[in-house]
Amino acid sequence: MNSDPDRHLAAAASVTDSKPATRVRPKPGERRLQILQMLATMLQEPGGERVTTAALAARLAVSEAALYRHFASKAQMFEGLIEFIEQSLFGLINQIVAQEPDARRQLRSIVQMLLGFAERNPGMTRVLIGDALITEDGRLQARINQLVDRVEISLKQCYRSAIAQGQLDAETDAGGRANLMMSFVLGRWMRFAKSGFKRPPVDTLDQQIRLLIS
């Protein structure tokens, strides 16, 4: 999870002249975060294979039973990632809207943020497009669908504000334009993931976004 450095916790061994280095037990909540970080890391690796709890436990050098002390199921691990995505995206959307009064600049900033988040968090991009959820619990895809719908509603409100500010024609279909913008973002996320994360989602964004918000 690259978006928030303060969330990156790491256990460090304490070394003194008189005592050998000892392994420090993770602080409360730290192991849970480490599990989610490793899950996100494994999702961005080449091949896009399904992540198993056995493979995840092996990467963390713990038993599968240790994983289940923090999460009741793998679906709950994915829910943890989705919660992180939700908090990150909507926290930033609210911040953009609060700090930028110009509606078209809001739209530009929100789209740039959505694509930039994907570029910084490749594994989570596979969650956002549902690619990592195909073989998982169906409720996870339903939750991602709800997340995408909420983002689209935020975009729709920005288009409505642009109309109210006289930046767009009064006859502009705010809902249709928001749907088009969301489809553009989803397409960029998809291309990024399907290219093996080699095609940055922000490529040529400046030229294309002018068409989408004009």
Side-chain angles (χ1 to χ4, degrees):
M1 300 180 187
N2 306 329
S3 300
D4 190 351
D6 290 335
R7 299 172 71 95
H8 290 214
L9 304 175
S14 175
V15 181
T16 67
D17 292 336
S18 57
K19 295 181 180 181
T22 58
R23 185 175 180 179
V24 177
R25 184 183 298 275
K27 298 175 183 177
E30 183 174 341
R31 177 65 78 192
R32 182 182 175 90
L33 179 58
Q34 290 172 344
I35 292 169
L36 294 180
Q37 288 174 329
M38 184 56 70
L39 175 58
T41 297
M42 292 177 73
L43 287 172
Q44 72 186 48
E45 293 176 351
E49 287 85 4
R50 182 171 182 260
V51 176
T52 65
T53 53
L56 181 58
R59 288 289 191 92
L60 291 164
V62 300
S63 66
E64 287 186 73
L67 298 182
Y68 291 120
R69 283 198 289 271
H70 301 278
F71 296 95
S73 64
K74 188 165 64 152
Q76 199 174 83
M77 297 177 200
F78 275 103
E79 285 179 333
L81 283 185
I82 295 172
E83 286 173 7
F84 175 85
I85 294 170
E86 286 177 333
Q87 292 170 6
S88 298
L89 295 187
F90 292 107
L92 290 168
I93 287 173
N94 292 338
Q95 183 178 320
I96 290 167
V97 172
Q99 295 180 354
E100 177 54 73
D102 185 285
R104 286 205 293 191
R105 288 180 181 172
Q106 287 177 7
L107 282 164
R108 177 186 292 273
S109 295
I110 289 172
V111 172
Q112 288 175 329
M113 179 275 294
L114 292 170
L115 299 181
F117 178 87
E119 188 167 355
R120 291 190 300 274
N121 300 280
M124 294 186 203
T125 304
R126 290 191 60 215
V127 176
L128 282 165
I129 65 173
D131 180 55
L133 306 177
I134 292 173
T135 58
E136 306 300 335
D137 192 304
R139 75 176 186 270
L140 297 171
Q141 184 60 63
R143 186 163 177 181
I144 283 294
N145 293 344
Q146 291 174 352
L147 184 155
V148 170
D149 288 345
R150 286 179 61 200
V151 173
E152 186 173 322
I153 289 170
S154 296
L155 294 172
K156 182 178 180 179
Q157 184 56 52
C158 289
Y159 275 109
R160 284 177 172 171
S161 296
I163 295 168
Q165 292 174 7
Q167 298 175 334
L168 295 174
D169 189 273
E171 300 302 314
T172 299
D173 179 358
R177 294 290 291 275
N179 181 262
L180 176 62
M181 184 70 88
M182 194 69 240
S183 297
F184 170 76
V185 170
L186 285 167
R188 285 300 184 100
W189 285 345
M190 179 76 73
R191 188 183 70 167
F192 179 50
K194 296 303 182 182
S195 71
F197 310 116
K198 294 177 182 177
R199 300 187 69 176
V202 296
D203 272 0
T204 67
L205 177 63
D206 286 344
Q207 300 94 310
Q208 294 179 7
I209 201 169
R210 279 197 293 269
L211 298 173
L212 293 168
I213 64 176
S214 62

